[in-house]
Amino acid sequence: MKRLLVLTAALAIPAAVLVRTAGPWRLMASRHGIWITPEARPSCPRCHGAGGWWDGDPSQPDMEACGCWADRRSLRIRLLPYRPEDAPF
C-alpha cells in the first residue's frame, strides 16, 4: 500500500505540471486512477471557449463538438481496479 501511495504521488506531480503548462486540460484523480482530459480552448476562433455549438432543428438540437478539444486524446492512468460494488449507490 505504501508503494502505491508513493507511485501515485510520483505520477500525480508530473501530470499536474503537464496539465498546467500544456494548455486547457482537466486533471481528475481518485484511488482508481488519474484522468487527464482536454477542455475547450478559451481562445478558439470557432467556438469561443464554449466547446461547440448547437446544430439542427431547435426542437431537437444536436451538439456539434469543436475540434479544439474533441480531436485531442485523453490520458488515463489506472491505479486500483474498479469494481461495481465500490460504487456509492
Side-chain angles (χ1 to χ4, degrees):
M1 186 66 173
K2 189 174 183 178
R3 286 176 44 189
L4 181 62
L5 183 61
V6 171
L7 178 65
T8 303
L11 291 175
I13 293 169
V17 170
L18 174 73
V19 167
R20 297 306 304 161
T21 59
W25 294 84
R26 178 181 302 152
L27 175 68
M28 296 179 290
S30 75
R31 66 183 184 159
H32 298 291
I34 300 170
W35 294 268
I36 302 172
T37 56
E39 288 188 337
R41 287 191 334 237
S43 63
C44 178
R46 291 175 47 193
C47 71
H48 305 288
W53 48 88
W54 294 102
D55 232 4
D57 182 23
S59 64
Q60 293 184 347
D62 291 326
M63 178 72 170
E64 182 74 28
C66 184
C68 71
W69 70 273
D71 296 337
R72 297 187 314 191
R73 298 187 67 176
S74 61
L75 174 68
R76 181 178 70 177
I77 302 168
R78 294 185 64 169
L79 300 176
L80 291 176
Y82 176 77
R83 295 183 305 234
E85 59 266 11
D86 290 341
F89 41 83

